[in-house]
Structures are given as C-alpha cells and as structure tokens.
Amino acid sequence: MASFPERQKRSNFQFRTYRTIGSQLVNYQSQAYFDFPFPQPGVYRGVRKGEALFHSEYQYPVRGPGDVIRADPRPAGLAPARQRLRRKLLPRRLHWSKDLGFGGNGLASLFFLSDGSPNSRRQYFVAKCNLAGDADKTLRQEKMTTDEFQDAMHIIQTRKIPPVQNPRSSRRVRNREGPQASRRWTEADRDLRGIMLLEYCQRGSLHKALCVADAKKIHFPERALWHMFHCLIQALIAMAYPPPRHGDLYNGLLPPFMEEIPQDREKARWIHFDIDPHNVLVHKSEPGSDHPLIPALKLSDFGLAHELDDRNLGDNDHMLTFRGWAKHFFFTPEQFTAEWDHIPINEGPGTIYPPPRVAGNFSWKTNLFQMGAVMACLITQSYVPTPPWPVWTFIPGRALDPEYYSDSPQDDDAPAPGPDPGPAHYHGDDYDDEYDDEHDDDENEENTPPHHHHQAHHPAAPSSPSYAPPPPSPSYAAPPPPPPVYYDNADHGYPFLPHPNPNHYPRQNPEDLFPDGSPVGGSGYIRAWSYGQYLFSDEDRGSDASEFGHVSVRLRELVAWCMTDDPAYRPSLRWLEREVRGEIARRYGEEPDGELQGESVREVSEWIKTCLDAPLPKKPRQPRQPRGQAGGGGEGGGEGGEDGGTGNGFMASGTTKIRITTG
Ligand SMILES: Nc1ncnc2c1ncn2[C@@H]1O[C@H](COP(=O)(O)OP(=O)(O)OP(=O)(O)O)[C@@H](O)[C@H]1O
C-alpha cells in the first residue's frame, strides 16, 4: 500500500491527466511522473481553460453515429454469480427470468415469484449480487443505504424478501428427492445478506434509452427532458431530505412520496458519487398517477453513496479516497480540480484553513453536478467532453440572493457565491504575462478546439427577458488585470489564497465585463466557470438555431448552472425545482404532467414507444465468417442483458471501463 504522500501525488497526477488529455491511464514509472511537482508550487490560480494539452486529438463534442456509449466486455464471474442468485432465491420460489445487466461490481437479474400455478400473476423482482461473492460487504452497505430513502418516489426501492417455502410442500421436489428434501435449505442457502431485491423498472436505464435513441437517430423530446430534469431534482431532494427522517411531511399520504423540501431543516449529507445514465432507471407512467404521461426516473445504485460527516471531512485519507469515486466522464470539479495540486504533503482539504473553494468541497452540490452531467448526456446524446471543458457562464446576479444557493440553514455555512474570483483574483503575486498568453483564447487560438472559438468571451445569452447583451465586439481587448485582492487574515502558511469572500458579501468582480466594457453583474448576471457551457454555441445568442437547438436555451442554461466549477454557484434545490416546475407549467400546462393533448404529447408518446419501450436494436448482421471465427455478441451483451457494464473510475484497477468509440 502506497504511503499517503505517494497516494496524494498519484491522485494529482491521474487527475492532471484527466484534465489534460481526458484519460486516466497513467504510468507511475514514467519520467513525467517523477518530474511531476508535488505539491505544485505557488498559489492555485483558478480554472485554467488552456490546460488541455493535445487539442488536435481532442474529440469534442463526442456524439453522432458510433459515438455513443458501448457495452463493455462481460466481466469474468457472471455465470457463478447468476448461479448463486438462482440457488439462493429458489427456496423463496423466485425464478430466474433473465439478466438485466452488469456493472463494475455486480450482476442484476430479473426474477419472478410464482406459486407454481399456471394462471398466477407473476411478481417481478430484480436481484443484485456482487461478482466477488457474498463475503463482499459493499452490497450490504448498498442495501442499507437504499433503505435510507424508503418510499421516495424517485429513488429505487428495495423489496421485501419473500419467506422461505418449506420444500416439503413442493410436490416436484418431494417426488424428486423424497422426504429428506428439507435438508436442502441449509443456513447458507437462506442467508441473503449478499443479495439485494429491488423493484423492477421495465424500461431499463437511461443509458439503454440513449443507445436506442442513437441507433434510431432520434432525439429526446424537449418536454420529456424537462420532466426528466424535474425527476432528477426530486431524487436529489430525497437524498438531501430522506423521507424516513422527515416522516411528518408525508403524514396521511400513501407512499411512494413525491419528495418535498422542508422549511429550515438541515440537509442530510449524502453524496451518491455515481450518478450517471447507467444508474438512472426509467419507471412506468400511469394515468391518474403523478406521472400520467412521462415516466418517472429513479436513481439507483447506491453502492458508492456515503453520508459524509465532520469526521470524514476532516480525515485526509477519506477525502483522498472520495476523490477517486466516480465513473470516467462523471468526476466532479470537487475531485478533478487543480486546486488539489496545491494542498501540502500530508494534508487534505478538510484539515487546512481556510478550506479550498472547490477541492474536496463535497456536498449535495456534488450530486447536482453529476445530475447536470446526466442531463447534458440526454441533450447531446453523448458523454460530456473529456478533458472537462470549462467556459465562462453567466448566472443570475440574484444568485447573490441566498435563495439561489441555499436551501437550509446549514448551507449558510458554505461560502456564499460572490462573483467568481477568476484568474485575476487567484494569480496573486506570481501573476505573469505567461498566464495571459496561455489563457486568452482570442490571442491563442490553438488553445481552443475549433468548436469553442469565441465561447469564452461570448457565452450564451441568459434567456431572462431583462437580459439584453451588448453585441460582441471583435476588437475586444481584455481589460487590464485588476490589483490582486487578498483577505490575508489567516496565518496559515499554506500556498492558498484565503477565501475570497469571507464576509459572505457579494463583490463586483472588475473582470465581469461584457466585451464593450459594461459590467455584467450590473445587468443582473455574474460570471462563473461551467463545464456545461459547451451546450451553447455562438448561434445561441437569441435563437435556438445551434447544434442543440432542439432543446431550448433555458433548459441548457439551467443545466450549465448545475455544472459550475465552484459548487457555491450551483443553484439551490428549492430554487431549481421551482424554476423547472414553473417552466413545465408555462410550456405544457399545470402539473403533474401538464395538458395531455397537443403536438408535444404526440411527440412524447411516439418517443416512449420507439425509444423507451423498444429493445436495443440488434447490430446489423456481419457477413458470414468461416467457422471458428465467429465474432462476439452485440452491444446488448447477449443473454437478455440490455445494458453495458460499467466501472468506477479509478477504483477499477486503473482502467477505463467506459469507452467512447468514434465512428
Ligand atoms: N431495478 C432495476 N430494474 C431494471 N433494470 C435494472 C435494475 N437494477 C439494475 N438494472 C440494470 O442492470 C444494470 C446493472 O446494474 P447494477 O446496479 O447492478 O450495476 P452496478 O454493478 O451497480 O454498476 P456500477 O456500479 O458499475 O454502476 C443497470 O445498468 C440496469 O440496466
């Protein structure tokens, strides 16, 4: 086991690779690793847009035919895992139907409960087990965590385990094995600690829906996207305010509960760490329910979920471990930010003062970022770009209003979102021209992939009616850097700048200027780095005619706000939920699913049929090959597996298990 400083250096190096070439595969024997400065000298200077090294190789944006998510090779150990499930569930009369999919760690199979009579209605259960065997504790942990969110409508629910049936009562078994049959159910057979039973989501995961949409060349309709956004927000509300802990909110209601935000209560500090399209399942829609038209989404797979407490946050070892918990493409700035590189040896984000703004600043806003990434996947029908691509976004100036960034009293302890300090703030004493050269897109075009020209200085216009952006001026020259701002009242001795906004007092950043020099904050918006701003292009200014024009500017903008670098700029759940609900009502009529007629309903119904209810199209048949050379199975994974496997980032022995194949 590597020492803590060695782990720190490795982690910094891995994430630098992630930020620069978008890969995680690193060679710790390489010269580059030995030369890698640890810790990084100097102060952290904020997001460095030009950090991506090989722009010529940069595949952005990753989408289009052949660019979607592919299934991974099947992991070893599937067959024994399935066998284990079948053996252990048989005493409870649960019969195997098919495999649903597999992940980095486990297998999910569909079972049905049958009393043996031919006309009985089958009840379906999803059974999950670890590939590593029953001794693996992670599934037990996952079971306990999933139960924390019991009765929440947008979280997958565990199902009660049916009782063991006495084998004597089974005629088939008696006939076959005689009166001794009862010996078959040993203690070990009854022990289901390594198995989890879940409700069944017939339509599979969003990942499967994305694969079908890509194969059939169809978009997710905007109306469906708004609703899915709302479902995901509800799931995050459930994690922040788990229904079992706030039972009084739901008094007199029948579960499952539509999640609510209670007034003035502290949030639970659950971080999912693994929100991605694989782990969002599509449930059913039912007339008369809360989802009469568009199916509910359910967040699943709480294998990595963790409720952080002060002990975790102050434990350097834990924090470093959390840094590596996510899948490729879904790491959050809290994990990949270069701010980590400046943390001194043997220290961690929780033990230095003042705490870093982004590095290790895990909170419910970490979930919000990953949820934004899932929405970005649904809009673009491809993964988010790696290396992660930061571009300035503009968030409402009213973001300075606590309602934008805070739901509960506890959030007020977090830094209030003053204007993003940006490089002008971070550079401090060692500011030099080199920094400008490196980061000024207009001057250094090579640093910008072709699709991103001008985006940094001309992000999409916020769509609020009060917003009237001045026309971009080609002769724009960056304003001279303002004098560095310090609040150096903490004698910490670390190479960190103190918190830029210790008094929670909003400051106007002199850099927040439009190209003509007018202050952005003054016109109601402030500037922040976002990894979701790539959803816009120049054509978006005032129109929906861009590459993602099938999705309104408003939806993309809200997603981009969930994906800011600094968690403080991400919106509060209450604010976001209200905005999204308001937009749905304005566009499609009142809740729950709006008016159930009109063009958008036809579009959605058609999409449900062709995308959600349809199986993954089979790969076109390859020309027959000579015997003995037959190719491997299709992307669905064969044997009823509808979904590809996945793996968790750096945990999976350092290999990237999700791949993007370009056409
Ligand atoms: N309740 C369910 N209903 C329908 N399909 C499911 C259900 N649970 C899991 N699946 C399918 O099985 C696949 C594998 O799920 P599982 O949660 O076991 O993966 P995992 O091992 O936890 O993956 P990872 O941790 O790598 O995300 C999912 O992507 C999904 O398609």
Side-chain angles (χ1 to χ4, degrees):
M1 179 79 178
S3 66
F4 184 76
E6 185 64 21
R7 283 178 59 209
Q8 271 184 301
K9 183 176 174 185
R10 284 185 183 185
S11 163
N12 290 355
F13 190 66
Q14 271 179 326
F15 276 104
R16 181 166 184 276
T17 318
Y18 186 72
R19 290 193 307 274
T20 51
I21 57 169
S23 157
Q24 303 169 22
L25 298 173
V26 295
N27 177 2
Y28 297 122
Q29 308 304 323
S30 66
Q31 193 57 41
Y33 180 66
F34 286 115
D35 295 345
F36 182 65
F38 168 64
Q40 205 69 245
V43 294
Y44 174 57
R45 303 192 293 186
V47 166
R48 308 184 69 190
K49 182 170 179 292
E51 212 180 3
L53 288 178
F54 307 120
H55 288 301
S56 56
E57 291 172 22
Y58 188 62
Q59 295 160 0
Y60 169 83
V62 188
R63 77 173 65 82
D67 287 345
V68 270
I69 307 144
R70 294 268 174 246
D72 289 305
R74 319 192 110 220
L78 279 186
R82 186 188 310 118
Q83 236 162 20
R84 196 151 29 97
L85 282 179
R86 293 181 78 155
R87 183 166 47 80
K88 294 212 161 197
L89 292 176
L90 194 62
R92 295 165 202 267
R93 291 211 184 143
L94 285 167
H95 301 275
W96 182 82
S97 170
K98 62 177 179 176
D99 287 346
L100 293 169
F102 50 87
N105 310 313
L107 168 72
S109 298
L110 184 66
F111 281 76
F112 62 89
L113 183 66
S114 158
D115 64 5
S117 62
N119 296 330
S120 65
R121 229 180 132 220
R122 288 179 170 185
Q123 274 186 60
Y124 284 95
F125 292 74
V126 172
K128 275 182 73 169
C129 73
N130 272 323
L131 297 180
D134 279 355
D136 192 325
K137 288 209 190 85
T138 51
L139 200 90
R140 293 177 203 183
Q141 189 63 40
E142 181 176 346
K143 222 177 347 181
M144 271 158 52
T145 308
T146 312
D147 278 336
E148 289 277 329
F149 310 108
Q150 213 182 354
D151 295 333
M153 191 178 287
H154 296 93
I155 303 263
I156 195 79
Q157 298 293 299
T158 53
R159 294 200 62 170
K160 267 218 186 82
I161 297 176
V164 173
Q165 297 290 327
N166 186 350
R168 282 172 193 280
S169 61
S170 157
R171 196 152 35 92
R172 198 162 56 91
V173 173
R174 262 205 324 271
N175 288 346
R176 202 173 61 216
E177 300 184 18
Q180 296 303 314
S182 59
R183 280 201 213 124
R184 280 183 62 198
W185 307 151
T186 60
E187 258 324 293
D189 284 338
R190 290 156 172 264
D191 175 11
L192 290 194
R193 275 177 299 180
I195 292 176
M196 176 161 71
L197 290 188
L198 295 167
E199 61 179 327
Y200 176 39
C201 295
Q202 225 168 340
R203 286 164 165 155
S205 66
L206 280 183
H207 171 264
K208 178 239 156 194
L210 280 168
C211 290
V212 176
D214 181 73
K216 296 189 174 175
K217 312 275 171 293
I218 45 179
H219 285 310
F220 281 36
E222 166 136 16
R223 182 165 177 168
L225 288 173
W226 277 109
H227 275 276
M228 293 184 157
F229 197 11
H230 195 250
C231 285
L232 291 171
I233 296 166
Q234 293 293 122
L236 297 202
I237 293 174
M239 288 189 75
Y241 305 101
R245 291 190 207 172
H246 298 280
D248 53 317
L249 273 185
Y250 306 101
N251 268 343
L253 299 176
L254 278 179
F257 305 128
M258 190 68 158
E259 298 83 354
E260 287 201 26
I261 303 182
Q263 287 294 340
D264 295 335
R265 294 201 207 166
E266 291 214 344
K267 288 195 179 74
R269 287 145 100 178
W270 281 105
I271 320 282
H272 188 288
F273 284 114
D274 202 11
I275 303 178
D276 81 330
H278 282 275
N279 291 336
V280 180
L281 301 175
V282 186
H283 204 238
K284 51 188 179 196
S285 34
E286 266 174 323
S289 73
D290 284 295
H291 297 82
L293 174 65
I294 298 165
L297 297 185
K298 293 196 174 234
L299 186 57
S300 76
D301 197 351
F302 289 80
L304 288 185
H306 217 87
E307 188 172 24
L308 300 195
D309 55 25
D310 291 337
R311 200 172 47 91
N312 298 132
L313 295 169
D315 185 318
N316 297 336
D317 206 72
H318 287 191
M319 292 297 270
L320 200 59
T321 305
F322 295 144
R323 196 184 178 193
W325 282 9
K327 284 198 198 87
H328 192 74
F329 296 106
F330 295 92
F331 284 104
T332 61
E334 289 87 311
Q335 294 163 316
F336 65 68
T337 175
E339 200 174 6
W340 280 92
D341 294 1
H342 297 264
I343 291 179
I345 297 177
N346 270 325
E347 292 287 355
T351 53
I352 56 171
Y353 188 82
R357 223 177 136 116
V358 182
N361 189 2
F362 299 115
S363 74
W364 57 277
K365 294 209 172 182
T366 311
N367 297 332
L368 200 60
F369 184 93
Q370 285 194 322
M371 182 207 69
V374 169
M375 282 307 298
C377 291
L378 300 186
I379 292 169
T380 62
Q381 302 199 177
S382 59
Y383 284 124
V384 292
T386 49
W389 192 253
V391 178
W392 287 118
T393 189
F394 289 92
I395 57 173
R398 65 177 180 273
L400 305 178
D401 177 349
E403 210 191 323
Y404 176 88
Y405 63 86
S406 149
D407 288 309
S408 58
Q410 159 213 356
D411 296 332
D412 295 336
D413 300 339
D420 191 304
H425 173 81
Y426 283 119
H427 60 65
D429 284 335
D430 62 354
Y431 183 81
D432 49 30
D433 291 345
E434 174 221 347
Y435 187 82
D436 251 355
D437 293 347
E438 251 179 69
H439 297 89
D440 191 319
D441 298 341
D442 286 354
E443 279 170 30
N444 187 3
E445 300 237 321
E446 282 187 358
N447 252 353
T448 311
H451 298 79
H452 286 89
H453 282 331
H454 310 300
Q455 283 195 3
H457 291 310
H458 312 307
S463 61
S464 149
S466 63
Y467 174 74
S473 144
S475 60
Y476 169 62
V485 184
Y486 281 102
Y487 292 92
D488 209 352
N489 49 8
D491 187 20
H492 48 73
Y494 298 130
F496 268 102
L497 283 180
H499 197 281
N501 195 358
N503 302 321
H504 294 198
Y505 184 73
R507 281 182 295 111
Q508 174 72 47
N509 186 337
E511 278 229 328
D512 286 341
L513 301 174
F514 277 119
D516 70 346
S518 64
V520 172
S523 48
Y525 287 86
I526 57 169
R527 192 174 65 172
W529 288 107
S530 166
Y531 295 95
Q533 194 64 19
Y534 76 99
L535 299 172
F536 293 92
S537 58
D538 280 355
E539 297 89 74
D540 277 311
R541 294 179 73 80
S543 83
D544 278 356
S546 77
E547 192 165 4
F548 305 121
H550 63 286
V551 179
S552 63
V553 167
R554 180 62 175 158
L555 178 54
R556 286 178 281 153
E557 150 185 285
L558 289 175
V559 170
W561 292 350
C562 294
M563 294 178 73
T564 57
D565 178 64
D566 187 335
Y569 291 107
R570 299 175 205 154
S572 75
L573 290 173
R574 193 190 303 276
W575 184 91
L576 189 62
E577 191 276 330
R578 212 181 37 222
E579 289 291 306
V580 172
R581 190 159 32 90
E583 289 286 343
I584 292 174
R586 196 168 60 73
R587 288 160 192 267
Y588 310 110
E590 284 302 321
E591 284 198 275
D593 258 4
E595 288 157 10
L596 295 181
Q597 47 197 332
E599 185 45 43
S600 66
V601 174
R602 270 192 297 280
E603 192 190 3
V604 167
S605 310
E606 186 57 31
W607 166 78
I608 291 176
K609 251 197 298 186
T610 51
C611 185
L612 297 187
D613 289 339
L616 257 183
K618 291 247 178 306
K619 262 188 166 176
R621 261 181 189 282
Q622 298 292 326
R624 218 177 248 279
Q625 288 179 1
R627 262 167 186 261
Q629 289 182 32
E635 64 204 29
E639 280 185 59
E642 63 182 17
D643 223 344
T646 59
N648 293 325
F650 298 160
M651 301 174 64
S653 61
T655 56
T656 307
K657 292 183 115 193
I658 303 177
R659 272 192 320 274
I660 282 185
T661 45
T662 36

